[in-house]
Amino acid sequence: MVRYTGAEVQRMEDPRLLTGHGRYVDDIHLPGMLHGAFLRSSHAHARIRSIDTSAALALPGVHAVFTQADLAVPDVAQSMNQLYPAPVIHQDITQHPMATDEVCYVGQTVALVAADSRAIAEDALVLIDVDYEPLPAVVDCRTALADDAPMAHIGSENNMAGQLKSAFGDIDGAFAKADHVFTGSFMQHRGGCHSMETRGVLARDEPYGEGLTIWSSTQCPYLVRRALATHLGEPEDRVRIIAPDVGGGFGPKAGFYPEEIVIPVAARQLGRPLKWIEDRREHFTATTGQRDQQWDLEVACDKDGKMLGLRGVVIHENGAYMPYGALLPFTSVTPLPGSYAIPALDVRLDIAFTNTTPTTPVRGAGRPYGIYAVERMVETIARELQIDPAEVRRRNFVRADQMPYETGAKLRDGMPVRYDSGDYHACQEKALELADYAGFKARQDAARTQGRYLGIGVSACIEDTGVGPYEGTTVKIEPSGKIMVRTGAASQGQGHHTMIAQIVSDQLGVQPEDIMFEAADTGKFPQGVGTIGSRVTANVGPSSFDAAGQVRETVLKLAAETLEAAEQDLELEDGEVRVAGAPDLKVTLGELALKLAPMSGGKIPAGFSPSLEATSYLGSSGSPVASGSNVAEVEVDIGTGEVRVLRYSVAHDCGNMINPMMVDGQIIGGVVHGIGNALFERMIYDEQGQPLTTNYGEYLLPLASEMPHIDIVHQETPSPLNPLGVKGAGEGGTIPAAPAIVAAIENALADFGVVIDYYPVDPQYLTELIDAAGAQAAE
Amino acid sequence: MADKREITVTINGQAQTAEVETRTNLADFLRHELELTGTHVGCEHGVCGACTVLVDGAAVRSCLMLAVQADGHEVTSVEGLAAADGTLHPVQEAFWKNHGLQCGFCTPGMVISVAAFLKDNPNPTEADVRSAISGNICRCTGYQGIVAAALEAAETMRQEG
Amino acid sequence: MKPGPFTYHDPTSVDDAVALLAGHEDVKLLAGGQSLMPMLNMRFVVPDHVIDLNGVADMSGIADTGDALAIGAMTRQCDLASSEIVAARAPILREALSFVGHFQTRNRGTIGGSLCHLDPAAEQPTVAAAYDAELTIVGPEGTREVAFAEWPLAYMMANLAPDELLTQIRFPYWQEAHGAAFVEFARRHGDFAIIGVAALLAVEDGKITRASVAVGGADVQPLRLADVETMLVGAAPGDAVFAEAGAMARKIDAMSDAYVTTQYRQRLAGVLVERALAQAASRATGGE
Ligand code: FES
Ligand code: FES
């Protein structure tokens, strides 16, 4: 009797957020609280000769100025822990909480001022005198690994941070027997993620030795707890991390940042709560994001465009430090070869240090790069062999009858990449139909008679979601009859409360409104992982389903005893258990809860444990792989180079959907991120490593006025890996967007023979390509 | 010595008097002096629109106004939009129904902007709405739910007169 | 990102404002605040004094003086955009304003603020250039008039002494039957244009009798394309002549920066001049 799971339930979170009653880090005011501001490196690379904080300290309203040397952490010489150690890392360089004698990117933390107000703290920043000795900086990843490149770090012998490879099959054989070999060389740029809420940390050292409480706008409170406790040499239970309402995450809030150690330590030393809220200009350089990858690929195929092998080299711009291991590089190459059955692969990725803000995953992590690369090669085949791009895909897709399908690639942990379920052919047909792909030629021709250039582009993607190992849930029935649900999973807007309430209310026969929800507080739920990689529904979904299911069993067993009825005659509905056909024979959930929570002298019924609750850490047995096909239709103004997205169609398969409305929200939001990557967002550094785009006039985020209406159709191929049949949906919108847009632009400009080798495709670049093509034609 | 002024601002119908440093912007005044934290700050340079409030009925960026400039004026923030009995404003109701928000951070500015826009443009097209909210950045929703909400709210408000 | 400390002044009359200007050093005048406030917040400017003009009487308003549209410097963009007089007498000002920021910024932003800030790509200065607008400046010595051609002195620097104040802008009417258009190209709705073009064309008996073409964003200040205007006068409006105008505009002196090359600015100037002229001509002859 499923009532809520699968329904478009309006979100439980919304009334609060719509009326201004959310509680984000900066909304929290604690008595005696001071305000922090960071002095950040103004150099991309420099030696610090000295730091003089005396003038800043003398400013009225300033309570303290901290440099790394002033931080009383056990080992001040220590740089920050590697969150994800991996053997592929050659130079495991992480930064200190605040710089000691070298800064390696603009924005790196150098000193902290704590003052009565943020304004005063900023007044003091300009009074801190840092004597820098500027050093040469390396900025462009394409030249960073050359012998004559400047070193990103003093003392390094080269800028190779690490190297990894994804290879399987007989690659030489594939190329030897190919009818065609095509090459592709292109640069990909993804920007920061720019959640509308910046980062922020508020810390209080609790009196009476109760430990530290930290509110952080993080996606991963348990990771922050682990890292901070390790640095402090304290038990994890003495460090409580709370992620309150968080205004968007998308990846960059998933790490552990210098500010998350500096602010708590400074608060402890000051004996007062201390708050630091990142401002938007800081966010551009202090918050990690993604940046450049240079891809040089070769694809081998037969005369029909069937791919036989893919090989090549990638250079990954890492930024100055490796706070997040090699997750971004890994997720760039392990999804290869995407939706296609290609028997052989050999792709190497070199990780290059540069003197820029470190990179970590942004929505999709490396997957958008990897999928874009494969899709580019598919487009190349279609263009060269004059085959419809959708048809090339049909000829190469992994077939539904091959599921579960092992690509041959290996995951980070050495396990094989396995696609659990899906029907990529059917999914693409749905997208093509939604986009009226068949009718496009007529639209294009009609537009051309008016001098307008329309184009259509197709893309396909897979997305490994729901990485383990767990994300637990506790479901407890209160004596009031209300259900308390707790989980570690932090939400940055995804709607976890609603999703979990739907699952739990179906199990327990209550309304979603009866469910109270607490999440992302390490003081309230013992262990968790975090909200990354589209993993929550595929982990918390099963755990909440299972925990509620266990409670349901207990409820029925206890009710059967109480009502002296057989379990199979019981109905659980409207918060009570009834005996079928005997409406007066019933007991409420609250009454049952009370039976398991007696006070002094009471008795627990035999065979039951105290408290009507259960905790489950059930997740998915493997990574459910979602898939999708997108179709973009664009118009290019060949005068200005402007690209307008006229129509955008998505067919997506994330298995069973708990709340289709929220899935659509994830997809649409994700597509718009992808369009931002494809057309707008560009983080520009100059040759000295100075960031040039550090405000929202210069760094262009997608606005409503330029975004298309997005049509979505779902295919629901259940995942066999969890009892709900769900897969993650958080990134499947973003991953295929750039390749669809870029293909559509090329299609619009096919007469000019334009081939795009860089995104974001800005209009200036496009006019240069059009002009170059025109010049070539004239020759 | 910090330059300070005593100001009186009518906020959501209630006159509030406070002393502020003159360099304090209206957003920070609302958030940190009055602890009306519904108004959000996303950029502090006038682009994201998260801080949008009504001043004398007109939608403005509260990060681009000094609190002293609101002295003697009326300010409506997101907290003042719903009816006194808690009934949501039609724009809020429509956002809820149409999944016009995810993280909720852009939402107060978005809701205020849409409400102000619809007051002057009761019968907008989708394109009108998209251009009207182009001064408010949302990173979560891709705008589609917001556009749908604005169109639905317009209809509700037309019917309600 | 909070402003540095300053002393705030809120005069209520032009005389008071001028006296305050005379009495203080390192002053910033606060008009609508849509450009100054971000610069204060980011500490790009850290003045000792801020003089707020929002409470000054008699600095805003829109009047039809018979031969010109007279606009108080503190008139807000929203009021200009909704003004019947503007719609009737200088419709391209209204057209240009639809590209200026967003309705929330137009509710505060003023025309005088924009003309004093002089962002190279801003729309209002480009329209002022096309109209040969006249500006009234008040200072300790009294009042002086400046033609818009003499107004920009350098990159974002107006012909305004530290102790002076812009109080009024006049757009002289074209007496001839004419059409006008403002077109621009910006990456996104409401962004500063990369290139904006204001064009006015008077057409009589199938011939262009008067032309004004101003291009914003190409150089540090709006440029009038005198050669194009000369070429147009006497010609019959039509695709060929506008294409020629576009080709001439492609040779405009244009700057380059980290985002936009000279060549692209020139290309846009050409494309947009052609489009603006076509639209202006169509409107001159009763079309859209
Ligand atoms: S905070 Fe005011 S516009 Fe962004
Ligand atoms: S709902 Fe998150 S920014 Fe709009």
Side-chain angles (χ1 to χ4, degrees):
Chain A
M1 189 202 52
V2 168
R3 294 170 303 170
Y4 296 108
T5 306
E8 303 213 319
V9 174
Q10 279 181 249
R11 299 202 324 164
M12 322 309 289
E13 292 88 344
D14 290 358
R16 209 165 49 78
L17 299 177
L18 279 164
T19 52
H21 296 100
R23 192 188 56 156
Y24 304 83
V25 176
D26 193 31
D27 299 346
I28 301 169
H29 296 93
L30 297 178
M33 181 173 79
L34 297 176
H35 301 265
F38 281 92
L39 181 72
R40 296 178 181 279
S41 171
S42 50
H43 291 269
H45 196 193
R47 206 186 297 272
I48 296 178
R49 291 205 194 95
S50 62
I51 307 176
D52 180 356
T53 59
S54 53
L57 204 47
L59 189 75
V62 171
H63 290 252
V65 182
F66 298 89
T67 64
Q68 178 72 17
D70 303 309
L71 288 181
V73 281
D75 183 357
V76 290
Q78 209 182 342
S79 57
M80 293 174 62
N81 295 329
Q82 176 54 263
L83 299 173
Y84 297 101
V88 300
I89 302 174
H90 299 176
Q91 300 188 68
D92 195 351
I93 306 178
T94 59
Q95 69 194 85
H96 290 80
M98 289 194 282
T100 50
D101 48 9
E102 184 186 7
V103 286
C104 293
Y105 66 95
V106 172
Q108 187 173 346
T109 42
V110 173
L112 167 74
V113 175
D116 285 330
S117 73
R118 172 68 178 231
I120 294 172
E122 290 185 20
D123 294 344
L125 290 184
V126 296
L127 302 175
I128 299 174
D129 190 14
V130 184
D131 185 6
Y132 290 109
E133 176 192 333
L135 298 170
V138 55
V139 180
D140 189 334
C141 69
R142 291 169 296 188
T143 51
L145 299 174
D147 288 342
D148 57 350
M151 289 303 119
H153 295 277
I154 296 172
S156 285
E157 278 164 15
N158 58 52
N159 292 318
M160 184 78 81
Q163 212 173 32
L164 54 103
K165 196 173 179 116
S166 186
F168 55 79
D170 174 12
I171 194 73
D172 292 336
F175 276 82
K177 71 168 184 243
D179 295 319
H180 302 281
V181 172
F182 300 117
T183 59
S185 173
F186 41 87
M187 172 82 123
Q188 306 192 48
H189 178 92
R190 301 190 75 217
C193 210
H194 291 279
S195 53
M196 286 323 297
E197 182 205 26
T198 56
R199 290 186 299 120
V201 182
L202 165 61
R204 175 169 67 190
D205 197 15
E206 300 297 340
Y208 312 112
E210 293 162 320
L212 280 161
T213 304
I214 291 116
W215 292 261
S216 179
S217 62
T218 180
Q219 295 171 230
C220 298
Y222 296 85
L223 179 97
V224 173
R225 178 177 72 172
R226 170 75 44 85
L228 184 56
T230 308
H231 275 284
L232 297 176
E234 291 189 17
E236 290 194 359
D237 279 353
R238 275 285 170 272
V239 177
R240 178 180 176 193
I241 312 291
I242 303 169
D245 285 325
V246 173
F250 315 116
K253 291 179 179 171
F256 177 64
Y257 280 92
E259 297 88 351
E260 285 169 321
I261 181 166
V262 175
I263 296 294
V265 168
R268 176 169 275 178
Q269 284 177 237
L270 286 160
R272 290 176 70 165
L274 177 63
K275 183 197 270 183
W276 162 76
I277 301 298
E278 182 185 57
D279 68 36
R280 187 56 67 179
R281 282 219 299 162
E282 287 183 284
H283 186 83
F284 274 97
T285 58
T287 291
T288 55
Q290 287 185 203
R291 226 162 296 110
D292 289 345
Q293 274 187 2
Q294 172 66 35
W295 286 69
D296 286 283
L297 288 183
E298 278 184 307
V299 65
C301 64
D302 69 13
K303 61 179 185 345
D304 299 322
K306 175 111 183 83
M307 291 185 277
L308 307 171
L310 185 65
R311 67 183 174 201
V313 179
V314 187
I315 303 175
H316 169 79
E317 177 180 348
N318 181 81
Y321 295 99
M322 288 204 115
Y324 212 74
L327 254 59
L328 192 44
F330 267 119
T331 52
S332 302
V333 296
T334 47
L336 299 174
S339 320
Y340 309 105
I342 303 183
L345 182 89
D346 189 326
V347 175
R348 190 189 82 216
L349 182 145
D350 296 341
I351 307 172
F353 276 129
T354 51
N355 293 109
T356 59
T357 299
T359 58
T360 68
V362 170
R363 202 170 200 166
R367 297 173 190 89
Y369 293 129
I371 295 299
Y372 180 87
V374 180
E375 293 297 302
R376 281 283 75 202
M377 300 321 287
V378 170
E379 289 295 318
T380 306
I381 292 169
R383 184 173 55 242
E384 296 292 338
L385 299 184
Q386 296 287 307
I387 307 173
D388 183 295
E391 177 57 25
V392 177
R393 289 178 173 84
R394 276 184 209 110
R395 293 179 189 175
N396 285 284
F397 278 146
V398 173
R399 296 186 315 274
D401 62 28
Q402 291 174 289
M403 298 291 174
Y405 176 81
E406 289 188 4
T407 65
K410 300 263 185 296
L411 290 168
R412 236 180 342 128
D413 57 8
M415 296 297 285
V417 175
R418 183 183 288 121
Y419 301 170
D420 57 330
S421 66
D423 185 340
Y424 306 161
H425 286 91
C427 199
Q428 172 166 287
E429 295 315 313
K430 283 199 165 76
L432 296 177
E433 190 187 333
L434 189 64
D436 186 20
Y437 191 74
F440 173 71
K441 189 77 181 74
R443 293 198 289 282
Q444 188 179 40
D445 290 345
R448 194 63 60 84
T449 61
Q450 303 161 2
R452 296 167 56 217
Y453 288 76
L454 265 49
I456 199 160
V458 181
S459 68
C461 79
I462 49 94
E463 183 203 355
D464 55 303
T465 73
V467 64
Y470 55 78
E471 200 66 70
T473 308
T474 295
V475 174
K476 178 185 179 198
I477 300 179
E478 301 270 339
S480 67
K482 297 275 183 208
I483 320 292
M484 174 54 90
V485 176
R486 292 199 173 92
T487 173
S491 171
Q492 304 85 48
Q494 295 87 343
H496 297 164
H497 178 173
T498 307
M499 182 265 290
I500 295 170
Q502 288 179 250
I503 294 171
V504 172
S505 49
D506 278 346
Q507 285 282 39
L508 295 179
V510 296
Q511 311 288 315
E513 294 74 31
D514 295 326
I515 289 167
M516 299 178 291
F517 183 72
E518 286 183 341
D521 178 343
T522 67
K524 296 268 179 83
F525 192 81
Q527 191 55 50
V529 177
T531 301
I532 54 168
S534 303
R535 67 182 298 276
V536 171
T537 300
N539 283 286
V540 173
S543 70
S544 56
F545 180 77
D546 184 43
Q550 291 180 37
V551 171
R552 178 188 174 91
E553 272 177 37
T554 310
V555 161
L556 291 175
K557 193 168 145 213
L558 187 59
E561 280 192 26
T562 308
L563 299 171
E564 296 176 353
E567 268 186 53
Q568 60 270 25
D569 294 337
L570 298 180
E571 290 168 350
L572 176 46
E573 217 175 323
D574 301 328
E576 35 185 54
V577 185
R578 300 177 198 134
V579 179
D584 291 345
L585 271 179
K586 61 184 183 186
V587 58
T588 67
L589 290 179
E591 288 163 351
L592 292 172
L594 214 44
K595 285 184 187 298
L596 298 189
M599 289 296 148
S600 171
K603 224 172 136 206
I604 299 281
F608 292 89
S609 319
S611 195
L612 185 43
E613 66 173 275
T615 296
S616 169
Y617 284 90
L618 183 71
S620 293
S621 55
S623 197
V625 177
S627 59
S629 279
N630 288 8
V631 182
E633 191 168 323
V634 305
E635 175 172 353
V636 181
D637 178 338
I638 61 163
T640 61
E642 181 182 30
V643 175
R644 293 231 34 130
V645 185
L646 303 177
R647 187 165 170 168
Y648 198 97
S649 310
V650 177
H652 190 256
D653 190 343
C654 56
N656 295 335
M657 294 184 285
I658 310 289
N659 186 327
M661 177 186 81
M662 298 199 313
V663 172
D664 284 357
Q666 287 298 315
I667 302 293
I668 293 166
V671 167
V672 166
H673 278 210
I675 297 177
N677 292 146
L679 296 177
F680 292 102
E681 296 178 48
R682 188 165 164 224
M683 184 69 204
I684 307 176
Y685 282 85
D686 72 10
E687 284 165 14
Q688 281 72 49
Q690 288 293 331
L692 300 179
T693 43
T694 56
N695 66 57
Y696 281 159
E698 293 158 346
Y699 185 90
L700 308 179
L701 289 169
L703 304 178
S705 39
E706 281 69 39
M707 288 305 110
H709 181 86
I710 294 158
D711 293 308
I712 304 183
V713 54
H714 296 281
Q715 170 170 299
E716 293 187 78
T717 313
S719 172
L721 303 178
N722 60 66
L724 294 166
V726 295
K727 305 179 177 191
E731 297 161 299
T734 305
I735 297 168
I741 297 281
V742 169
I745 297 169
E746 287 181 347
N747 179 250
L749 299 175
D751 288 0
F752 298 89
V754 161
V755 176
I756 289 166
D757 60 5
Y758 176 77
Y759 71 84
V761 182
D762 70 66
Q764 171 175 302
Y765 164 68
L766 209 47
T767 58
E768 285 163 5
L769 292 179
I770 293 170
D771 289 349
Q776 222 171 24
E779 269 164 24
Chain B
M1 206 44 231
D3 187 38
K4 291 189 177 176
R5 291 263 180 117
E6 187 179 277
I7 61 171
T8 300
V9 187
T10 302
I11 294 170
N12 301 329
Q14 247 186 332
Q16 307 251 25
T17 300
E19 192 182 55
V20 287
E21 210 183 331
T22 53
R23 63 168 152 168
T24 306
N25 69 38
L26 179 57
D28 284 347
F29 174 68
L30 293 171
R31 291 180 48 72
H32 302 307
E33 302 294 329
L34 304 181
E35 299 200 12
L36 284 169
T37 54
T39 300
H40 294 161
V41 169
C43 73
E44 295 179 280
H45 55 271
V47 187
C48 77
C51 67
T52 307
V53 298
L54 302 180
V55 174
D56 299 332
V60 303
R61 314 270 207 229
S62 61
C63 72
L64 298 188
M65 229 180 118
L66 298 171
V68 278
Q69 294 184 293
D71 188 18
H73 293 271
E74 288 195 19
V75 173
T76 305
S77 66
V78 68
E79 291 94 338
L81 217 53
D85 68 354
T87 308
L88 295 181
H89 185 281
V91 171
Q92 292 169 315
E93 189 68 47
F95 266 64
W96 191 16
K97 268 175 72 182
N98 291 279
H99 197 25
L101 64 153
Q102 290 181 23
C103 78
F105 201 79
C106 71
T107 308
M110 211 46 111
V111 163
I112 289 272
S113 294
V114 169
F117 168 71
L118 293 181
K119 205 159 46 101
D120 297 333
N121 303 272
N123 200 358
T125 63
E126 172 171 347
D128 295 339
V129 169
R130 285 188 177 270
S131 126
I133 61 167
S134 65
N136 294 77
I137 300 176
C138 174
R139 284 301 277 163
C140 297
T141 62
Y143 302 106
Q144 199 151 306
I146 296 171
V147 172
L151 291 170
E152 183 175 304
E155 185 165 344
T156 312
M157 288 162 75
R158 283 199 303 275
Q159 278 165 10
E160 286 173 2
Chain C
M1 220 160 98
K2 310 296 176 194
F6 55 73
T7 304
Y8 173 81
H9 309 269
D10 51 348
T12 54
S13 71
V14 171
D15 288 350
D16 286 355
V18 171
L20 279 166
L21 275 171
H24 295 95
E25 303 249 315
D26 194 13
V27 178
K28 276 283 169 191
L29 289 172
L30 176 57
Q34 305 303 287
S35 298
L36 179 60
M37 282 293 297
M39 299 203 306
L40 288 171
N41 288 350
M42 294 195 258
R43 297 195 187 213
F44 288 164
V45 289
V46 191
D48 289 338
H49 298 273
V50 168
I51 299 180
D52 182 358
L53 299 176
N54 284 278
V56 174
D58 304 326
M59 269 187 78
S60 59
I62 303 162
D64 179 353
T65 66
D67 58 356
L69 180 64
I71 302 171
M74 283 296 291
T75 306
R76 298 199 197 276
Q77 289 148 4
C78 59
D79 294 326
L80 288 168
S82 61
S83 155
E84 305 267 315
I85 308 177
V86 172
R89 304 308 309 253
I92 63 161
L93 179 54
R94 180 193 177 127
E95 189 169 21
L97 285 166
S98 71
F99 295 106
V100 177
H102 304 279
F103 82 94
Q104 301 93 331
T105 63
R106 294 193 294 269
N107 281 338
R108 293 291 296 171
T110 65
I111 184 167
S114 174
L115 292 185
C116 291
H117 186 63
L118 272 182
D119 188 287
E123 290 82 0
Q124 292 153 93
T126 303
V127 175
Y131 263 101
D132 293 311
E134 298 154 0
L135 296 90
T136 302
I137 315 297
V138 179
E141 316 294 316
T143 298
R144 67 187 175 99
E145 304 291 326
V146 178
F148 188 82
E150 315 292 314
W151 178 244
L153 295 181
Y155 175 67
M156 295 182 81
M157 185 198 278
N159 179 354
L160 191 71
D163 56 0
E164 288 182 326
L165 196 64
L166 168 68
T167 57
Q168 198 195 57
I169 304 102
R170 282 178 313 286
F171 291 79
Y173 296 143
W174 279 35
Q175 303 302 344
E176 306 87 343
H178 68 283
F182 185 92
V183 298
E184 73 168 40
F185 181 68
R187 291 299 311 278
R188 302 172 305 176
H189 186 75
D191 281 350
F192 275 119
I194 300 176
I195 294 288
V197 175
L200 292 90
L201 280 185
V203 180
E204 208 183 313
D205 299 333
K207 290 262 183 302
I208 296 168
T209 56
R210 186 179 169 194
S212 173
V213 181
V215 176
D219 204 348
V220 295
Q221 63 191 65
L223 299 176
R224 279 286 290 272
L225 306 192
D227 55 342
V228 171
E229 293 170 6
T230 310
M231 185 275 292
L232 289 169
V233 171
D239 291 349
V241 70
F242 298 147
E244 186 184 340
M248 291 167 76
R250 272 189 191 230
K251 303 199 176 80
I252 198 171
D253 278 334
M255 56 189 179
S256 71
D257 54 38
Y259 318 102
V260 184
T261 62
T262 297
Q263 292 76 6
Y264 187 58
R265 284 199 164 87
Q266 290 173 323
R267 178 197 187 90
L268 286 181
V271 168
L272 298 177
V273 162
E274 189 177 339
R275 290 180 187 176
L277 286 170
Q279 191 161 31
S282 158
R283 287 172 178 171
T285 50
E288 229 318 294

